[in-house]
Amino acid sequence: MNMKKQNKLLILIGFLLIVITSIQIPVHAVSNQAVNDYDLTLYSVDNGIPTGEANAVLQTSDGYIWIGGYGGLQRYDGVEFSLISGEQSGLTSFSIRSLWESKDGVLWVGSNDQGPFYLDGQKFVRVSGTEDTAFQSVRCFAQGVGDEIWMGTSEGIAILKDGKVHPWSLNQFGKQNCVTYALSNGEDGLIWGINSNGILLGIHPYSHELLYCYEPGELWSTECHPLTMTPLSDGSIAIGMKEKGVYLIQNPSSGKPKCKKIDTQNLYAIRNIFQSANGDIWCCGDQGLGIIDKTGNHFTDLSNYPYTNHLVCIEQDYEKGIWAASSRHGVLHLTRSKIGWLPLPNHTDAVTYTIEQDKAHTYLATEAGLMVLDKNWNPIDNEAVRRLGHTPLRHIAIDQKGQIWLSGYYEGLYIYCPKDDSLRKIDVNNSRVRMVLPLADGTIAVAHYGGLFILKDGKIVQSYEQKLILCLEELSNGTLLCGTDGNGIYSLKDGVFEPYANVSSGLTSGVILRIASDQKKPRQDLGFLWL
């Protein structure tokens, strides 16, 4: 190979380096096919947060993940954790119980010992009037009218307005103040809450009147003890129990609500519930994690997976990842796995060599034959699948006309036309076809055991002898590169078939299994070449 050709192309051999910086455990869906596999990352004293526990987790609209616990408030920017609590930040409490973002984008922090704080620019401000011990342990927040913020505490409810705490007592309605576990805004415009006396509260945000007060025995048995609640997008309210089960309260503001119980299997002592972007209801508690589908008819129990116990808070980020705070382990981050498993009937142990897609189907070339899948990943039957049976296939290519070229390593070359569901065999004088590549000029390059064929209209127009060719790639200037089984790379340009690169010119091996050009990182007009 001359120096001009050497200067035309930079040949790079790439190695993939995977760096694991946290504990990653694959979490698989148990019984609900709508739940994809997840990867689980645990953040604890070993890789981020200062203690092995957390009480609250929240992603704010600026993208930060905030984690509150008995070691203070942590902020995660996607790379590292930063401790925020301390005199310099204005957040003087290191005991954080709850986190919430108001409609104006302000972060609110409920401490366990100093009441509520809010973030004003770069500094936290403590709300006045929290010296009253009744409002020092803050469990939850909800949005009020205007700049009003509703707050649930260990001894009742208060309204935050004009930078001060204004008590809102249940005594005025003939009820006893107690621990407020959860407050949240319903789709009906009301503020809903649940307290330690097992009462579901419906409060008018303008008049501050208690409109609804469902006591134990009205909607669920007096033997059940609610621990959390959250309004859902359909107007109903999901309530998590100390015992097993989630209750869906339908039409709660109608005065005649209906109650539906969902069995949560091994999950009990449900501490937090949230509804994801796709409508599924996630539940977490002392004994695990689970998902109720958006229909409310199916529960998937994830309680057997690592670190999913003693969960007290659960949240979804903008990338649809799941964050869960554990009072024993730290913070869990569940993300959709980048690698999934697609079970193929009768192909369990078959090697898959090539995958190609057109607008309607996915085609897989395997050593046990052709597989064709629809858009929902269901196997389908067509003429090619039926006729080829278990014929081993090495490669699939789709040409400019939408025809499917199938390389049978022992059975020759076939072409399948999806338009009329027809299959025909192409005579290429060699049954051991390795790969087909449709070229820019409309011809077809065929790599086989004895060299290279160029086809036009299904007929051989050029033939080049060479040791087994394993792969093909066409460059932007029309040069066809051929990776061989021991002789390096050959090139075909303007009818000239000649050596292009080999061990003597810098390759570390003469066996080239795959060639791919990378136009995203241009070098002159040809780009990089990956081998």
Side-chain angles (χ1 to χ4, degrees), residues 435 444-448 450-454 460 462-467 469 472 480 482 492 497:
M435 178 180 175
I444 304 294
V446 180
H448 61 93
L452 176 69
F453 293 134
I454 303 296
I460 298 175
Q462 297 177 49
S463 179
Y464 304 93
E465 293 185 2
Q466 176 49 252
K467 190 177 179 179
I469 295 179
L472 302 168
L480 176 63
C482 307
L492 175 62
F497 188 69

Side-chain angles (χ1 to χ4, degrees), residues 405 413 426-429 433 435-448 450-465 469 471-474 478-482 490-497:
W405 293 78
L413 180 63
I426 305 298
D427 185 10
V428 289
N429 300 325
V433 177
M435 178 180 175
V436 167
L437 181 66
L439 302 179
D441 62 3
T443 60
I444 304 294
V446 180
H448 61 93
L452 176 69
F453 293 134
I454 303 296
L455 304 183
K456 186 175 182 180
D457 298 327
K459 307 250 183 225
I460 298 175
V461 294
Q462 297 177 49
S463 179
Y464 304 93
E465 293 185 2
I469 295 179
C471 58
L472 302 168
E473 178 71 342
E474 185 178 23
T479 299
L480 176 63
L481 298 183
C482 307
Y490 270 65
S491 68
L492 175 62
K493 175 69 171 175
D494 299 328
V496 179
F497 188 69

